[in-house]
Structures are given as C-alpha cells and as structure tokens.
Amino acid sequence: MVESIRLPAVQQHGGASPLRDSAAALQTQIASLARRIGRKTQFMEVCGTHTVSIFRTGIRGMLPPNVRMLSGPGCPVCVTAQRDIDAAIELAARPGVILATYGDMLRVPGRLGSLERQRAAGADVRVVTSARAALRIARENPQREVVFLAVGFETTAPATAAVIRTAESECVKNFSALVSHKLVVPAMRALLDAGDVRLDGFLCPGHVSVIIGAEAYRPIVDRYRQPCVVAGFEPLQILRGIAALLTQVARREARLENVYTAAVPPRGNAVALHLLAEVFAPSRTAWRELGEIPGSGLELAPRYCRFDAARRFGITLGPEVNNPACLCGQVICGRAEPSDCALFRNGCTPLTPIGPCMVSSEGTCAAWFKYAAPRPSAEAAS
C-alpha cells in the first residue's frame, strides 16, 4: 500500500494546499519514473538527518517497491571509531580533567564502558551544545584541564576551528580538543571503492554541502559515474531529490544536481573553508566499519597542535574492537538494515543501546525503532 507523505501539522488543516499539491505531484512523478525504470533502484542518503526525516515524514513508506533508500555513513556519532570513544573515556578518568561533549556521545558504549558510566563513577563529564560552551568551561575553571571531544563532519568542524583559534588568541592554556572530525566525500569514495553495495546514486547532505559546496561531489560523478543530488531536509526537498535521482537513472545519466540552491552554493562557504584550512590539515583517520581512510579526517595544523588533547595527555589510540554481534558498522555502509541485527529490539533499544546507531538521534537504528513498524528482514543489498 502506498502511503501519503506526512506533512507538518500546520499544513494539514483546511484541505488542499500548495505544499500538499506539490507533494502529491512529486509522489506521482516518482511512481511514474519507478515504473519507467522497471528495476530495483537503491539510493544512499548519506546524512543521518536525511534518514530521520525520511522516516519521520513517512517518505520511506510512500516510495514505490523498487525504490529503496539506504542509510549511509553520515551520522557523526555512528561513524566515530571505537578507539576514539575509548580514548575519550580514558581522558575523562584522568584526575583534574573536565571532558566536554555533545549529548549523543555520552551513551556510546566503548570497551571501557561509556562516558555516562564514567560520570556516574565520579568523572567530570559535561554535556555542551557547542564548542564555544566547552571553551567557556575552560575559562571558568583555570585550575582544571578541559578537553572538548570534537566529533562531526564539515558542519561542526568550523566551530571547533573557530574556538581553537580563539583559545590561541586569548592564551587559554587549559583547553584542548580530542579531534575526531570527519569528511564526507572521502567516505563516499571508500564505499564505492569497496564495491560490495550496488548504488544508483547519492542523496547528498544539505548542511554539509552548505560548507563544502555542491561541486565537492563532482569527483563522485566524474570518476564513479554516480548521480549526486544535493537536497535539504524538508519533505519536499527530499522528494525533489529522489525524483531527480530517478530521472537521471531513467535517462541513464550521472550528473551533479543541487535542488537546495537557496542554501548551498556551488563552492561552499569561503569563510568556513578558510578557517578549516588554517586550523586543520587532512589526515588519515579511522571510521567504524570502514576502517582507516586516507584524507578523511582532520588533525590540528602544526601552529595549533598544542591544543591536541591526545598529544597533551600522551593518549595512544588502542585497537578498534567492536561488539561482533552489533551490526551498526554494516548498517552505516548500507550492507544491512537494523532488522538484520539480532540485537535490534532484542536487548538493543534507545534505553539500553548496544551500538551507536541506537544511541544517536540521527542513528538509523534509533529511527527504525521509533518510526518503522517491525517487519521481516529486508533482502540484503545486492
């Protein structure tokens, strides 16, 4: 049964509306394109925010049976390597350290427990909503060492860069960052190089693209012949993105399109990109499941390396050891769906998460748990 998209409540009163008409028209267009293509198509929504929006608005349920959306490695919590979680937990246990982190990171399990458990055991772990808030804690506690656990993609990395530059200009000596920022495009290349999941195109993330610009995906199109469509997170944006991807498949094209031109310029945000280039340098970094990917992370540039918490505290990253029963790594690569995991709903729930995809508000497992009705496991991606 084809469902109707769930539009925001304010737009559902009073019968027909331009927004509803647009959604219906896009739904009809998508159905027509899917029939015309006549085979199974698989698109990856790279971003966790897209994943949640697709579930929350009912888009997943209204797509034709031969159009499948796969989750990608775009949830910052989900892709953070186990060894980085372990390093943060070790730092939090150090005497005199205040560890500041975003809320979603608090409950991610590591080999040594979780930051939440460390806090319960007496560690000073504080939840912040911004890098700036972490720096404020450092200013207010000059006798303590404050470490900011810096995770996320190009959306959050400029804020970390700005704070580190501020810390330098203000000579804040008790502030450092455990940097685990990641870059989206190298991960997309790594997925395609692995070649074990067939894709027909990418729904590219809106907010990352605001920073890096739509043209950042040009190598994916040119080298891999993969359609890429940049879209925002509102239902109509996502539907337009899916329709654009299907149109390319129907025409046997591979082009770069941007249906989010109101926010995403071709070349990105020059100020933010300049800030990233000044404070960070690309680095080889580890991703959950994807392993180490050259040029996919950020490390502090030599001028700012004294703010590197790993260096300041002599932290050596340990081995990457994940729970073998947890399929989070497979889920973020499009190789499995949450229902394929024996732990899903069976011990692993938002209240008792075993893997990061169930912890994060952008996690695929959390979205499935909240919005998707239980159903048999989907066919493995072919």
Side-chain angles (χ1 to χ4, degrees):
M1 177 180 179
V2 177
E3 300 177 2
S4 297
I5 187 171
R6 292 194 287 272
L7 296 172
V10 67
Q11 291 152 339
Q12 295 192 30
H13 299 303
S17 71
L19 185 58
R20 179 173 297 283
D21 291 345
S22 297
L26 284 165
Q27 191 170 354
T28 299
Q29 182 185 3
I30 288 170
S32 174
L33 287 165
R35 284 195 301 272
R36 177 179 164 190
I37 293 168
R39 65 168 177 82
K40 182 179 179 181
T41 54
Q42 296 193 134
F43 303 110
M44 177 170 281
E45 80 265 7
V46 180
C47 176
T49 307
H50 268 149
T51 297
V52 173
S53 186
I54 287 170
F55 273 96
R56 186 181 66 247
T57 57
I59 288 175
R60 182 172 179 271
M62 57 75 67
L63 293 177
N66 64 329
V67 179
R68 185 183 179 197
M69 300 302 295
L70 300 178
S71 296
C75 161
V77 175
C78 305
V79 299
T80 299
Q82 183 75 76
R83 66 186 196 181
D84 293 329
I85 303 293
D86 293 337
I89 294 171
E90 181 182 345
L91 272 172
R94 298 283 183 101
V97 167
I98 299 173
L99 191 127
T101 182
Y102 297 123
D104 279 357
M105 298 302 296
L106 207 61
R107 301 173 64 214
V108 179
R111 285 189 306 127
L112 310 173
S114 66
L115 290 171
E116 186 177 50
R117 288 187 182 180
Q118 282 293 329
R119 184 165 70 172
D124 196 344
V125 179
R126 304 188 189 184
V127 173
V128 294
T129 56
S130 67
R132 182 181 299 178
L135 181 59
R136 184 169 61 248
I137 293 172
R139 293 194 192 101
E140 294 169 351
N141 297 271
Q143 77 287 6
R144 306 276 300 278
E145 285 284 341
V146 176
V147 177
F148 174 55
L149 175 54
V151 300
F153 297 99
E154 290 94 333
T155 44
T156 54
T160 303
V163 160
I164 288 173
R165 194 165 69 173
T166 300
E168 186 206 39
S169 66
E170 295 180 0
C171 296
V172 179
K173 299 184 182 306
N174 65 323
F175 178 79
S176 59
L178 185 62
V179 178
S180 187
H181 285 302
K182 292 181 168 51
L183 307 176
V184 165
V185 175
M188 294 167 68
R189 289 202 303 263
L191 275 172
L192 294 170
D193 287 337
D196 56 350
V197 177
R198 183 184 60 76
L199 293 175
D200 294 288
F202 287 101
L203 189 67
C204 301
H207 44 26
V208 164
S209 304
V210 169
I211 303 298
I212 67 177
E215 285 296 321
Y217 306 101
R218 180 70 64 187
I220 302 296
V221 175
D222 291 345
R223 178 177 174 183
Y224 299 94
R225 297 292 300 162
Q226 283 286 325
C228 288
V229 176
V230 178
F233 302 102
E234 294 300 319
L236 288 184
Q237 274 282 312
I238 294 172
L239 289 175
R240 285 178 185 137
I242 294 172
L245 286 167
L246 285 167
T247 299
Q248 291 194 40
V249 173
R251 294 175 179 173
R252 299 186 179 184
E253 296 175 340
R255 293 185 290 105
L256 174 62
E257 290 187 69
N258 178 11
V259 299
Y260 198 27
T261 54
V264 177
R267 303 291 177 185
N269 184 314
V271 174
L273 292 174
H274 176 77
L275 189 57
L276 289 177
E278 177 191 328
V279 176
F280 294 117
S283 66
R284 183 184 185 90
T285 195
W287 295 61
R288 186 177 292 269
E289 185 65 21
L290 288 168
E292 293 195 358
I293 305 173
S296 69
L298 295 173
E299 64 182 12
L300 289 167
R303 174 180 170 181
Y304 298 97
C305 65
R306 66 180 180 277
F307 294 99
D308 182 346
R311 177 177 297 199
R312 180 176 297 190
F313 293 94
I315 295 292
T316 300
L317 296 176
E320 184 71 3
V321 179
N322 294 304
N323 185 334
C326 173
L327 295 189
C328 277
Q330 300 289 316
V331 169
I332 62 175
C333 294
R335 297 171 183 140
E337 292 187 334
S339 58
D340 298 324
C341 181
L343 301 177
F344 182 70
R345 296 183 186 274
N346 194 18
C348 185
T349 71
L351 290 178
T352 58
I354 295 175
C357 294
M358 189 62 87
V359 175
S360 173
S361 59
E362 295 184 1
T364 305
C365 294
W368 271 64
F369 190 94
K370 186 172 183 179
Y371 298 111
R375 64 176 191 174
S377 297
E379 294 180 4
S382 58

